[in-house]
Amino acid sequence: MAASQTKELWPIRRHIVAVVLTGLGVFAVAVVLLWLALGLPAAPSADTRLNVVKIALSVVAGVGGVVALVVAYRKQRIGEAAEARERGKVLNERFAGACAQIGHEKPTVRLAGVYAIASLADQWPEQRQVCIDVLCAYLRIPYEPATDSPWYHDEESEVRLSITSVLSDHLRPGAPVSWQGHEFNLLRAVLRSADFAGIELTGGRLLLSLARFPGGWLSFDGMHVSGGEVWFGGASFEGARVTFEKAEFSGGRVQFEGAAFTGGEVSFRGARFTGGEVDLSGVSVDDYTAPPVFDEWETPPPGLLLPGAAAVAE
């Protein structure tokens, strides 16, 4: 951005020549108009010559003033460009440092990197999506949680839980800095636990296609989808507890095509379907042996598409 700002500026010589030529043009027009106003005299009177001199002096003073303004304007623009370059340099250095932290072998350093990236995303809207991509890319790194750890929890799970908490905090109403409208690519992510409760999606995309939830609990309780897209295509819910209780779907699209509901618990108790589309119609019958739990109804609410025509209310 700083480079483009300086490229837009003319060379100082061209600027001044343009201003001087403009001033001379104004002077010439003024003389012609004055001559016409006096009835085209062949020999100008002393008063006319005096007026022409006054106009010339005014034009010279005006041109000098404009040249001073041009020089001041250029100094301001060059200063702004230099400041922008310095800011960009500092932010890029912070970004490199945070990326080095998030790739560190020690989990405590990785945690520091997570929050450093999040802070940078808040302060750097031009590269916010890049910062979000780094956090999401970490969750896409292959990982097998230690199922024999206390509470099914280990150091790596803590890092991943912190990342999902950072994402959620920026998607909840009232967030100091909102990340609404961005893309959160968690394709093939492995999540033992995550708290997405209360998040709101008004646009952008949350991609959890082919994600795995090996045990643990993922909460989307109170989630409000009013726009954008949420994809769970091909996700495996086996062995996990995933809840959408009291969630509201008033717009956008939530897609479960190819997802596997073969174990664990998926609950939509208390969820409201007031618009948009929640589509489970692409789930195979063979992958629907442990279907989600919904409130009781006579017919599925509008916008909720279930596999075949079978009701799954319990």
Side-chain angles (χ1 to χ4, degrees):
M1 181 181 295
S4 64
Q5 287 178 342
T6 54
K7 286 180 180 178
E8 292 174 359
L9 292 175
W10 284 1
I12 184 65
R13 181 178 299 176
R14 183 187 299 180
H15 250 139
I16 293 176
V17 169
V19 170
V20 170
L21 291 177
T22 301
L24 292 176
V26 171
F27 171 69
V29 171
V31 169
V32 171
L33 291 177
L34 179 62
W35 185 52
L36 293 174
L38 295 174
L40 309 176
S45 64
D47 290 340
T48 301
R49 289 194 297 270
L50 180 60
N51 288 333
V52 170
V53 171
K54 289 180 178 179
I55 292 174
L57 292 175
S58 298
V59 169
V60 170
V63 169
V66 172
V67 169
L69 288 175
V70 168
V71 173
Y73 168 74
R74 287 177 57 84
K75 286 183 177 179
Q76 179 181 350
R77 290 290 300 275
I78 292 172
E80 290 174 351
E83 183 179 347
R85 283 194 299 270
E86 183 62 25
R87 177 177 180 270
K89 179 182 177 181
V90 171
L91 292 174
N92 276 290
E93 289 175 351
R94 287 177 56 190
F95 179 77
C99 288
Q101 285 181 304
I102 205 171
H104 200 274
E105 61 180 11
K106 294 185 178 180
T108 52
V109 179
R110 296 201 298 274
L111 283 170
V114 168
Y115 293 108
I117 288 283
S119 175
L120 191 59
D122 289 345
Q123 301 171 33
W124 201 7
E126 300 89 350
Q127 296 297 328
R128 181 170 296 157
Q129 182 63 59
V130 174
C131 296
I132 292 172
D133 289 342
V134 171
L135 295 175
C136 292
Y138 187 96
L139 296 178
R140 297 198 302 272
I141 295 175
Y143 158 66
E144 291 299 329
T147 56
D148 58 348
S149 61
W151 298 96
Y152 297 100
H153 194 67
D154 52 30
E155 293 176 341
E156 178 61 18
S157 294
E158 178 61 31
V159 176
R160 291 170 181 254
L161 178 60
S162 297
I163 293 176
T164 56
S165 295
V166 164
L167 301 181
S168 300
D169 289 343
H170 287 85
L171 290 174
R172 292 191 176 103
V177 178
S178 175
W179 291 359
Q180 290 290 343
H182 288 278
E183 178 169 294
F184 302 87
N185 184 358
L186 302 180
L187 179 71
R188 295 188 177 88
V190 179
L191 301 175
R192 164 59 61 79
S193 59
D195 181 13
F196 291 103
I199 68 170
E200 183 175 1
L201 292 177
T202 61
R205 297 198 300 173
L206 174 58
L207 307 177
L208 284 156
S209 298
L210 301 175
R212 292 194 299 117
F213 313 118
W217 177 24
L218 282 85
S219 172
F220 294 89
D221 296 345
M223 174 187 194
H224 183 195
V225 180
S226 59
E229 297 179 332
V230 183
W231 290 81
F232 287 94
S236 175
F237 296 95
E238 182 177 1
R241 183 185 180 202
V242 183
T243 57
F244 297 85
E245 296 181 357
K246 296 183 179 179
E248 181 177 1
F249 305 95
S250 62
R253 186 183 185 194
V254 183
Q255 175 64 256
F256 288 87
E257 181 178 3
F261 298 91
T262 55
E265 176 189 353
V266 180
S267 173
F268 284 85
R269 292 184 178 92
R272 295 185 294 167
F273 303 90
T274 58
E277 181 178 284
V278 179
D279 188 359
L280 289 85
S281 63
V283 178
S284 167
V285 175
D286 294 336
D287 292 329
Y288 206 59
T289 56
V293 178
F294 296 88
D295 291 337
E296 294 184 0
W297 55 52
E298 294 182 0
T299 58
L304 175 60
L305 307 177
L306 301 176
V312 296
E314 293 186 9

